[in-house]
């Protein structure tokens, strides 16, 4: 089945130790997103790629970086994780709905714990 | 939140009852969407309503949109225990590619 796959599902890192989360999709969607979701909060958009064009949200810390080497893969790099970066990280892709609007297809998420 | 607020934050109902949750947003939109999230999982798209529509139905879901008040509501009729989840509204502003989520409503349906 076509889908969005995130790895790893659970990641434990130490304070300040870089971590990379990956997302792959078989949907051939041209837009890919990274969201951060802390416990009992709304998903917060960090950035998105429209094809190779990177779009950063104004309030996304510099500590968060992203790479999209090809259509299928997108990575989230956290250069120096702090305790406040512990969260679920959600990857999503978008396509044009039959009525012409985009909808999001999400992966299952990667839960990051920072010790 | 980046774009919207939802209320109530939490809702607990008996199976068979209807559940209504509300979403308010801040800026002009192309469309508004509702998503469902089971605990510890990703979000799943439920329904989309365009800015020029006032009401939309899909199975047991009914969505309304009032652009003058910048608000939307999601009604789930004849609720089931399997409807227990968090529900989020999302708006795409006018750019079409940036989606911002409301604060969410946690729904518990008691069998």
């Amino acid at each position: 089945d076509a889908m969005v796959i995130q790895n790893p599902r659970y990641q434990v890192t130490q304070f300040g130790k870089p971590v990379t989360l990956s997302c792959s999709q078989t949907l051939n969607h041209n837009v890919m997103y990274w969201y951060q979701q802390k416990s009992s909060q709304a998903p917060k958009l960090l950035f998105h790629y429209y094809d190779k064009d990177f779009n950063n949200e104004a309030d996304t810390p510099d500590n968060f970086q992203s790479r999209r080497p090809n259509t299928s893969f997108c990575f989230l790099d956290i250069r120096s994780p702090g305790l406040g970066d512990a969260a679920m990280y959600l990857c999503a892709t978008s396509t044009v709905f039959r009525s012409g609007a985009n909808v999001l297809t999400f992966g299952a998420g990667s839960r990051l714990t920072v010790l | 939140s980046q774009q919207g607020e939802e209320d109530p934050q939490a809702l607990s109902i008996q199976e068979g009852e209807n559940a209504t949750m509300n979403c308010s947003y801040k800026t002009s939109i192309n469309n508004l969407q509702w998503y469902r999230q089971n605990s510890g999982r990703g979000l799943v798209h439920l329904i989309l309503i365009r800015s020029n529509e006032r009401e939309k139905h899909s199975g047991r879901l009914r969505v309304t949109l009032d652009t003058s008040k910048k608000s939307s509501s999601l009604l789930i009729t004849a609720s089931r225990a399997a409807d227990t989840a968090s529900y989020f509204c999302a708006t795409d502003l006018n750019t079409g590619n940036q989606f911002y989520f409301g604060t969410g409503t946690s729904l518990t349906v008691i069998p």
Side-chain angles (χ1 to χ4, degrees):
Chain A
D1 285 343
M3 57 179 61
V4 180
I5 298 173
Q6 292 188 241
N7 283 300
R9 290 291 318 281
Y10 301 92
Q11 175 74 58
V12 180
T13 190
Q14 292 181 329
F15 183 95
K17 186 174 181 182
V19 66
T20 294
L21 306 176
S22 74
C23 178
S24 65
Q25 55 132 340
T26 59
L27 299 159
N28 204 32
H29 290 174
N30 55 352
V31 192
M32 294 186 77
Y33 306 80
W34 280 104
Y35 284 86
Q36 178 193 62
Q37 186 179 29
K38 296 185 178 180
S39 181
S40 301
Q41 295 186 20
K44 179 179 181 295
L45 180 62
L46 296 175
F47 25 61
H48 75 278
Y49 276 94
Y50 188 104
D51 292 324
K52 289 188 179 294
D53 292 333
F54 177 70
N55 299 272
N56 198 30
E57 292 297 301
D59 56 355
T60 298
D62 292 340
N63 197 27
F64 292 88
Q65 304 285 317
S66 186
R67 296 169 283 134
R68 189 178 186 186
N70 54 53
T71 301
S72 301
F73 283 88
C74 194
F75 299 96
L76 171 62
D77 300 309
I78 309 176
R79 295 191 295 189
S80 182
L83 298 178
D85 297 327
M88 175 77 89
Y89 290 89
L90 296 163
C91 174
T93 68
S94 76
T95 185
V96 178
F97 198 59
R98 59 180 178 273
S99 61
N102 292 358
V103 299
L104 296 173
T105 301
F106 280 87
S110 292
R111 182 168 297 282
L112 177 67
T113 301
V114 182
L115 301 177
Chain B
S1 68
Q2 287 179 308
Q3 172 65 340
E5 303 283 334
E6 290 181 58
D7 76 272
Q9 283 190 326
L11 179 61
S12 184
I13 59 173
Q14 295 289 328
E15 198 165 34
E17 294 181 339
N18 295 341
T20 299
M21 49 205 87
N22 304 294
C23 166
S24 60
Y25 57 91
K26 298 175 183 175
T27 60
S28 297
I29 60 172
N30 280 326
N31 62 67
L32 185 142
Q33 304 177 33
W34 287 88
Y35 288 79
R36 166 195 168 124
Q37 184 179 35
N38 284 38
S39 180
R41 305 292 294 181
L43 287 79
V44 176
H45 177 258
L46 293 176
I47 191 168
L48 176 152
I49 186 166
R50 288 183 168 277
S51 58
N52 61 355
E53 296 175 316
R54 292 297 167 258
E55 188 170 311
K56 202 83 172 282
H57 295 254
S58 176
R60 293 186 295 114
L61 304 180
R62 173 180 167 247
V63 173
T64 62
L65 179 65
D66 187 337
T67 52
S68 67
K69 295 181 179 177
K70 292 187 170 60
S71 67
S72 173
S73 67
L74 172 68
L75 168 68
I76 304 173
T77 60
S79 64
R80 305 166 182 168
D83 294 330
T84 295
S86 292
Y87 292 82
F88 294 90
C89 65
T91 53
D92 73 340
L93 306 185
N94 282 317
T95 64
N97 289 323
Q98 291 163 269
F99 294 82
Y100 299 102
F101 285 84
T103 50
T105 294
S106 176
L107 172 66
T108 301
V109 181
I110 302 165

